[in-house]
Amino acid sequence: MKIVVTGATGGVGSWLVDHFAAAGHDVLGLDLDRPPRERENATFLAADLTDQGQAWDAILSFDPDAVVHFAAIPRVGIEPDAETFLTNVTSTYHVLEAAGQAGADVVWASSESIYGAVFAAEPWLPEYFPVDEDHPRRPEDPYATSKLVGEDIAAMTARKHDVSVTSIRPSWVTFPGEQQTAAARDQFDPETAEPNGNFWTYVDVRDVVSIVDAALENASDGHETYLAVAAENFLDRPTAETIETVFGDLPEECALEGDESAFSSAKARAELEWEPTHSWRDAEGEPASGPSFVDR
């Protein structure tokens, strides 16, 4: 296949480029800057995807079979709020519209923050646990709202161009050899912890790569959304008990058992035959690794 990957030098995007190139696909990586080194089976272009001409020229000239869109300002607090919203929405429109014109299937990165609790001024409890794809989306920050608009763009693209578009909603993405989950766990005290609208969920970058692969292999008609989360929280504590202690309450409908993730990946299991296979228990002790064509 010919595959475009946007955000090609980023944390997740670089792993996607590496994966598809290693599998023998012809990959075009797009990002604001080219990486410092080359990668066999991959070509890199520096492109500003908020510029329609650059985005459409790069993608349509390549004539891809699939477009994997992971370029974005990844959270609030990096750029001014308006810049975060406009960059993410504009780039998503340009990339998905070009993909549709090329007749390419699309997988792109939405976010579990789309429900609204993650970056809320005061984190709140959802209507039920575990949260699934049908839970109401009520964002109140520019990043999550850009993902809400992005999912509408995704649905429009699927209708307009009759291509498959899959919106993946990853949790906090972690990487092998990192110690961020370990540090957060070591510092965590449920009696004094601040409410966390992410509910201590995560997903290993290798599982993000595998769900993107599964979405391309099982491309459905129209637009579909899937949560991508690890099976358990990273605290090594019972999830419902921890949430109740920190928030002082639980929704009436709560079916969480043990350290089960507060977000459900049951839909991806059923429809994509995808399972998260990497846990913090193993990943924290692994050597730090990543694609060799980028600096880490």
Side-chain angles (χ1 to χ4, degrees):
M1 293 176 65
K2 298 177 69 177
I3 304 175
V4 170
V5 177
T6 73
T9 65
V12 179
S14 59
W15 281 75
L16 287 163
V17 169
D18 210 43
H19 168 75
F20 290 126
H25 298 293
D26 184 6
V27 181
L28 173 64
L30 302 178
D31 214 318
L32 287 171
D33 297 300
R34 298 180 73 255
R37 288 172 290 281
E38 299 298 322
R39 178 38 164 119
E40 186 179 3
N41 295 332
T43 302
F44 298 97
L45 290 178
D48 180 355
L49 299 176
T50 66
D51 182 284
Q52 184 185 66
Q54 293 185 48
W56 286 17
D57 182 25
I59 294 170
L60 293 173
S61 296
F62 188 67
D63 191 23
D65 301 299
V67 173
V68 179
H69 177 48
F70 270 68
I73 296 174
R75 59 178 174 80
V76 296
I78 297 174
E79 301 282 352
D81 286 353
E83 185 68 15
T84 299
F85 177 80
L86 291 172
T87 295
N88 290 355
V89 170
T90 305
S91 60
T92 298
Y93 173 77
H94 291 337
V95 170
L96 269 60
E97 175 62 20
Q101 290 183 31
D105 291 336
V106 177
V107 180
W108 82 286
S110 182
S111 170
E112 37 113 74
S113 69
I114 200 169
Y115 299 104
V118 174
F119 294 120
E122 295 184 8
W124 41 266
L125 292 173
E127 295 180 6
Y128 54 84
F129 282 121
V131 176
D132 59 17
E133 289 80 359
D134 293 330
H135 191 282
R137 302 168 299 165
R138 299 190 290 259
E140 57 184 73
D141 69 275
Y143 172 74
T145 305
S146 76
K147 297 303 182 179
L148 180 67
V149 176
E151 289 195 5
D152 285 339
I153 294 170
M156 177 205 71
T157 302
R159 289 191 298 267
K160 179 180 178 181
H161 296 288
D162 194 25
V163 295
S164 172
V165 184
T166 304
S167 298
I168 303 296
R169 298 174 180 171
S171 187
W172 174 35
V173 180
T174 59
F175 298 82
E178 274 191 340
Q179 297 302 310
Q180 288 182 286
T181 49
R185 187 170 55 256
D186 291 345
Q187 297 167 9
F188 182 79
D189 180 351
E191 299 297 334
T192 58
E194 293 292 326
N196 181 345
N198 163 273
F199 311 111
W200 306 281
T201 61
Y202 74 101
V203 61
D204 189 285
V205 65
R206 293 164 291 186
D207 287 328
V208 178
V209 170
S210 69
I211 197 173
V212 170
D213 226 1
L216 289 176
E217 291 176 2
N218 299 278
S220 60
D221 295 334
H223 173 238
E224 288 290 346
T225 60
Y226 297 99
L227 277 157
V229 297
E232 70 290 309
N233 68 55
F234 61 79
L235 293 178
D236 200 21
R237 294 171 178 267
T239 307
E241 178 184 311
T242 303
I243 293 171
E244 184 172 26
T245 300
V246 173
F247 282 81
D249 200 6
L250 280 174
E252 184 174 337
E253 184 180 343
C254 180
L256 296 173
E257 297 183 359
D259 64 352
E260 177 185 358
S261 171
F263 294 87
S264 171
S265 55
K267 182 180 178 184
R269 287 185 173 92
E271 298 183 8
L272 301 180
E273 299 182 355
W274 173 82
E275 293 273 357
T277 60
H278 296 88
S279 168
W280 63 265
R281 291 179 171 87
D282 300 317
E284 288 178 0
E286 294 178 18
S289 62
S292 60
F293 60 88
V294 290
D295 289 322
R296 288 286 181 267

